[in-house]
Structure formats: structure tokens, C-alpha cells
Amino acid sequence: MGPIAGALFRSQSRLSSLSAAATRYGYFSFSSSGSPLSPHSPDAARHFHDWRSPISHRAVVRSSAVVADRFERRFATEAARNSYEGILTPLAKPGGGEFGKYYSLPALGDPRVDRLPYSIRILLESAIRNCDEFQVLGKDVEKIIDWEKSAPKQVEIPFKPARVLLQDFTGVPAVVDLTCMRDAMNMLGSDSNKINPLVPVDLVIDHSVQVDVARSENAVQANMELEFQRNKERFAFLKWGSNAFNNMLVVPPGSGIVHQVNLEYLARVVFNNGGILYPDSVVGTDSHTTMIDGLGVAGWGVGGIEAEAAMLGQPMSMVLPGVVGFKLSGKLKNGVTATDLVLTVTQTLRKHGVVGKFVEFYGEGMSQLPLADRATIANMSPEYGATMGFFPVDHVTLQYLKLTGRSDETVAMIEAYLRANNLFVDYNQTQVDRVYSSYLELNLEEVEPCISGPKRPHDRVPLKEMKEDWQSCLDNKSGFKGFAIPKESQTKVVDFTFKGEPTQIKHGDVVIAAITSCTNTSNPSVMLGAALVAKKACELGLEVKPWIKTSLAPGSGVVTKYLEKSGLQKYLNQLGFNIVGYGCTTCIGNSGDIDESVASAITQNDIVAAAVLSGNRNFEGRVHPHTRANYLASPPLVVAYALAGTVNIDFDKDPIGTSRDGKKVFFQDIWPSNEEIANVVQSSVLPDMFRTTYEAITTGNPMWNQLEVSPSTLYSWDPSSTYIHEPPYFKGMTMSAPGPHSVKDAYCLLSFGDSITTDHISPAGSIHKDSPAAKYLLERGVERKDFNSYGSRRGNDEVMARGTFANIRLINKLLKGEVGPQTIHIPSGEKLSVFDAAMKYKSDGHDTIVLAGAEYGSGSSRDWAAKGPMLLGVKAVIAKNFERIHRSNLVGMGIIPLCFKSGEDAESLGLTGHERFTIHLPASADEIKPGQDVSVTTDSGKSFTCTVRFDTEVELAYYNHGGILPFVIRNLSTAD
């Protein structure tokens, strides 16, 4: 929400009176004299640092953030002086002088502040620092101080994050949108250079590398060469963007996974901008941005369109959240990993219900929990449904900052500021009881080894029960815990030939074993634990079947350094876990092909093959098209299951293999003790590894440095490009807001049950050879081997619209049990691809809606899961409930999110999906209220009531303008 939006939602008059006020405020910069200037004038060049400068990234982002903060503070001065200047307090350095000044929470003298959760105190500090009675009001500050009473009322507050984080899958469409917005500004006769980030923006390219080559010493280089061949155009576009837009850094491919780079390097914890100290905070276009919460930095995922607004200096509108206090006690038992802990926490919090809430961890167990373990728990906040899983800064945090190469002076400043502002937890001192909305507790000693699957992250299975659970999954009817395999087929053994050698495959056999994902590869204990398992296995003569696709994709170069120093990488290599690249790989579906002989044996015999990965998502159809069972496990367990070759095993009773001397080898024979792991971590993970890795992070690599890009600040669209295409969002746009659109006699495009994820709505993985997207690419001369993935083509709306609802595992009730990306075109009764049916509806002038169950839009934050349906002509989604970010994205693209009333759904209301639906929304935006009820009628005579999920006045303003981006453009176009 921007300056305008701030005025919009706080105005006592409703939306109809806001347009005039909106035109008064917009993005502008100031010269040293205080007069407006263009970001690309010579004077602006002194304010905005050129990212191509050879100085270190830390210095660059500091200097850029100083500029952004200067603009923000001058902007505030134009409106009004900060209402809380009286509590601006100097922070003394121990040796004399001062670190800077800060807005002191203790100086408020309000006892309510001492009872606030630490996560809410960060929101409070931000509101106080930005309180100018324009963008942020004094009453907003009071709402937060009075959190204990105001949070249950679902009140709205503004929040300005300190920075924005992107990865390339979501970053490309964000940069495409910003680029297109510049063109729209030109079209409307305004200054295109008003479209520029005002806060530091970091984009890490980590989602493009695929595991094409595995089990090879040359895998890293080979996969990177293929990555650049496929993505040269995308990468050149991002490189252009880093030059064309101010305040934007692009971290080149091969550097690491965005969240690990954020944790180890990008995070400031405390900003010092122009002598003003304040807590670091970040919003990111990846749902696992929450990983940074483990470092005490408030961060969460948002839709790309929200992130774009934040980049342009717009405060975010958010509902003041409730906070679940999660007390940890005790210590993890021997043999239990951080992954076991996070899967347990995920299941516990899912049962409790934490959607839209913060979770804050506390208790004496925190002192026994390493930072990397905290980050693992924070990382999976989307899987348990929370906005954040927050760990306040304490001595463990400070130790980690020193380990990762932050300077002593920086760490001293961080500690001094946080202690002074009551944002630091010192477990050596008596703790003041904080108030939480609800309470949970977990004794770490009760956590036991486990995995999760076969289709959802929160379906935890204790390791000792895995064999029994697998058998029940084979028996159960098709669903999240069932494959409906007939009894007589469950023991079927299929013979096939792999590279000239006869072999066999059966249900439950592992065909992919991947150490992957930001969730685990940032954690030295589980990474070195996996290497120790490999060492013990190799010493006993165990091997992994050659047709199992094994891979290791570290989250940063630091992992490689400590694996090499420990001398353990060679054992992982021996088992086929060679390093394949530095990126997300298998966790996001970039697992590459499995051998054709294996794939044929699976498909021709209906084998339920398994993947075991150390990731955070295992939704069906995500990891690989041929692995119907996908289990999340710790890196050591990934190695163990690769050695066993099957998930149909009881590790307590069944041997994992046979040693070279013919003896049976059991799980306990290869499992390292916690002490063994700790000793290797202590001797192998060193601060210099982090320093040397990140000193070189912005120098890129030869392939990146050879990319040539235009110096123009406007992009030259290539109409023949199949990667970067000018989207149609602003075609024919005028300065007048279109107002609410009616939804009358709409057809149901798709009817779903529960847990439709963004992977179902907008897949990131491979493009199926028979899909509409494949047809589009083939028609434009793209060979099948060059299709790449949907994720890599998110800069092309033509491909992505055709890829919407293209998941091969889609279950659409209109197809009556048939699985696949098709639907019934109701008027004709034809069975068509979803895209073809949608285009037929559009060409005939018919609106469409989607019916869904619970948890609609869960999974990765994915703009295209909202953009795609909008381009298909979907006007509304009616569901039991929505995932937080996805609901926001739908609103941002002008799609109406509606919820059935509690206890109702399409089935209970007798809706078949063959009806025509009319949604009775008021015709004027100022007659719509957040969360109001509306009636929906059908041509069959059935009618029901839904809740409109526009949750704030700002979202209503977005809807009135046809989405957030047209809203921003209209307001910036009319700004002085």
C-alpha cells in the first residue's frame, strides 16, 4: 500500500472520494536542495549507487539503503515531522562516540510494550519510525501498542519492510511487470523513470538449474552450461534489469539458494542508515522467505505484485496478526535431526491452526537449538501455515553472525541496539512474561526420527512406522494417503534392462534420492551427518543402485568448502551424491529426466515409484512426473533410503544392505551419533569459508559476465521471444478506474476438492509434450529438448496462460474421477484442455469461475497462479478457505475470492459445477465492505451466501482499479 493507499484506507470518506486525494501523492526523489529530481539525472546518480561498482555488496546495499531511507525520511518531512521525534535516542559505543540514533521503545514508558511479543515489537518500531501522520498515523502506532486487545479485532496496519528479496522464477515476472509499467507510464504521457525501486532489492538466480547430469564429477559444469543455454535470454533480461533499475542487485547463477544466501550474507539484522538504527525486515517473492525469521529478522513471503508495490515505496497493508507462543524445552535426543524436529513442529502447528498468524518460539530449549536448526523450522512456516515462525535474537544468533563472517564491529552494533531497544532475549536474565494469543509447548526430547509424505509436507510418519504406513498407502483409496493398488498387484516385480544389465523394480522403490532445498542444505549438522552416513556405508562396502538418480545441490559454496575440508565429500561422490549445482533443483521439480528404461518400466506397469528428498514440498506432480510417492526426509535419511533402494522398509528390523564380507548391515550400523556430527561441524565449518565465498559473489562467472545487454532504461520487446513477452495487463488502459465488474451467468471452468496447490494451478516443472504450452512452443520452432520448464518461462504470458491448470495430476470433479489437465466445456459437453475450454468461453463472451475446497492456493507463493486464471477469464474463485499469499495475489489481479460459509461447500450445497453462477456484488466499490456477505444464485434455482475475501479497504481500492498494478500506475502517473 502506498502513500495514496495510506490516504485511501484511512480516509473517513469511502472510495468514491479518494481518487482526487490519490493524485496528490506519488513517487519522487529529492536533490540536495530538496527539490524533486529524476532518478536518472546526474544529481540522482550520486544518490543511487551503481551496482556495477566493484565495491563489496555489503557496502553497496548499505549505501543504497541509506539513499532509500533518506528519501523516505525526506518524504515524511514533506508531509509532517515524525510524531515520535521525542524518543529518538543516541546509542553510545562502548569506547566512546555513538553508533547512531534509534527510536526507543523503552522511552515510550508504556507497560503494554513490555508484554508484547518480540515479533510485534518489530512492527511497532517500524510504525513509530515511519509515523508522519500521512503514510503511518499515530492511531496505527496505538493499535500495535494495544495489540493484546486490538489483534482479535482484525485491525489493519501499514508496514514498510526494509528491503525486498526475489528469486529468478518469481523475479523475472516482477521485472517484466516493472518494465511493462514503465511502458504504460509512457503511454499515459508520464515519466517512466518514476518506476524505480526505493528500497534495496536483491534477486538471487537459483531456480533455473536442473539436474540434467548426475552421478558425475563434471555435473556442476555440465548443468550450468545447459542452464545458460536454456536461460540465456532470461539471464540477459535480468542483467539488463539490474542496470536499468536503481537499487537492484542480481546475484548470478551458481552462487547458491536465495534463502541460504540471505541467511549467510544479505541479512543485516539491524540497519544503520544515515545514523538511524532500526531492525532489518524483508518481504520476498518466495514463500520460504520466512527462513530469515530464524535469524531474528522479520520476513515473509508475498506475491510479486505486492513486492513490486513495496519496491516502489508503498507501505503494505496487513491485518495485525495474532501470535502463537511456542515454548521449547529439553534437548533433541541422539540420532534426531533438525528435519525430524521441523516435521514434528509442522504437524503440531497444522493441527493447532496458525494461518495468518505469527508463531514466536521461546523457552529454555532455545539455548540448545543451533541457529541452523531454527532457520530450518522458520523455513517451513508456509507448510504449517503461519506468516512467520519467529526466533528473537539471542546469544546463539550473535554466535552465528560471527561464524558467517560478519565483523565484530557489526555484531557489537547489532547487540547494543537490540539490547537497548528491548528486542534482545538474554536467557541469563529473568524473563518478563509476554502475552500470546495462544500457547503451545514441545519437549525436544520427545521428537523422534520421521519422514513426511507421500503427498503432503504435514503428513508426518514416524520412521519406525514407515513400512506399515507404506502398506496402508498402497491399500487406501486414491487420496493424500492412498494409491488404491489392488492386493494382488502390490507385490508385483517388473523386470527391465538398465544400460545392458538386467534389474527389477517394484512399488515403493526409490528412483530419485536428492539432497536439496534451502530447508536443509544451509544446516551443517545434517549435511555433514549425511556425509558421515556415506562414509560408514562406503567403509562397509554398500552401494546405491545405479539407476537411482542421486544428487547433491548445496545452498551455497560454503557447503562445498566444509564438505571438502572434512574429507567427506569423496564418500558422497562414491555413492553417487556428486554436487550437481547450486540451486533449488529437485525440490522445485527441476529434477531432470530419469533414465528412459526406468521411466518406461514405471509407466508401462503402473508402478508407484518413490522419490526421497530433503526438501520442503512433496505435492503430487511436483518433484517428478514419474514419482507418485514423494517423501521429505533429512539429508542423512536421503542417503539411507538411497542405499536401501525402497521406502518399503523397517529400519529397526530390516537390513539396509549387505557388506562386502557378506554380513547384513542395519540402519544403526551407518547412523552417526550427535557427538560425531558435532565434532566434524566444529572442526570443518569456519568463518573464513563464509568470507571468501561471499567476497566473490557479485563477480559472477565467465558465462554471466559475457552476457551483453542494452544500456537503455526502456526494454526492447522481441515479439518472437518465447521467454520474455510483453504482457497484456495495461493494453487500452485509461486514467479512469474501471470499477467493480459484474459476474453474471458465469460457467464453472473447474471444480476442485481440498488442497489444490499453486503447483496444480501453475506448475513450475516440465512442460508436457502434449500440452497447449508445448503446442505453442513447437509452432514457434522450439524443439522439445529446449522446452525448459514452466518456471523458466514465467516471463512469457502466452506460455504461462497455456500452462495454467496444466498439472498432469489435476483432479477436476467435472471429469468424474479422470485425472489430468482437462475440463468439460459445459455448453457443448466437449472434453478439452483447460486452456482451450477457457478460450472458447472467452470467445463466446462468457465469464468463468472456479469452485474449490479447503486450502486453495497452498504451496509456493506464485504470481502466475493468479495471473494465469485472470488471463483465462476467471472472474472469481469460491472456496472453503484460501492460503494467505494466494488470496492476496487473486485480489491483486482483480479476481474475486469468496468463501463458503462455515460447514458448507459445493458438495453440501448440491452444486455439480454445471450451473451458471451470478455473484450479487454491489455495482459501486464504495458500497462494498471488507469481509461482507454476498449472495450467489444459479440458474438451477440453488442460491447460497459467501463471504467476500477483500480483507482491507486497500484491497477494495485495488479491485476498483482492476488490480494493484493499474492502481499504482494511475496514481504515479498523476503525481507531481
Side-chain angles (χ1 to χ4, degrees), residues 175-177 179-180 183 237 715-720 724-727 795:
V175 178
V176 165
D177 288 351
T179 304
C180 195
D183 292 343
F237 175 69
Y715 189 70
S716 298
W717 303 97
D718 178 0
S720 65
I724 307 296
H725 184 263
E726 183 178 8

Side-chain angles (χ1 to χ4, degrees), residues 745-748 826 851 909-917 938-942:
D745 292 330
Y747 285 101
C748 177
I826 303 299
L851 294 175
L909 292 168
L911 301 174
T912 64
H914 288 259
E915 302 86 356
R916 299 188 72 173
F917 297 81
T938 69
D939 62 340
S940 68
K942 291 187 171 69

Side-chain angles (χ1 to χ4, degrees), residues 829-855:
E830 292 179 88
K831 184 169 71 172
L832 301 170
S833 72
V834 176
F835 175 78
D836 288 341
M839 292 304 99
K840 197 170 179 62
Y841 282 125
K842 284 188 78 171
S843 66
D844 293 340
H846 298 309
D847 289 341
T848 55
I849 66 159
V850 170
L851 294 175
E855 299 176 340

Side-chain angles (χ1 to χ4, degrees), residues 203-230:
L203 191 158
V204 181
I205 300 177
D206 67 347
H207 273 52
S208 298
V209 62
Q210 299 186 37
V211 189
D212 293 291
V213 179
R215 302 185 79 143
S216 165
E217 292 182 5
N218 189 45
V220 173
Q221 182 65 22
N223 288 327
M224 183 174 283
E225 288 175 0
L226 287 166
E227 179 184 8
F228 268 83
Q229 286 174 24
R230 294 185 179 115

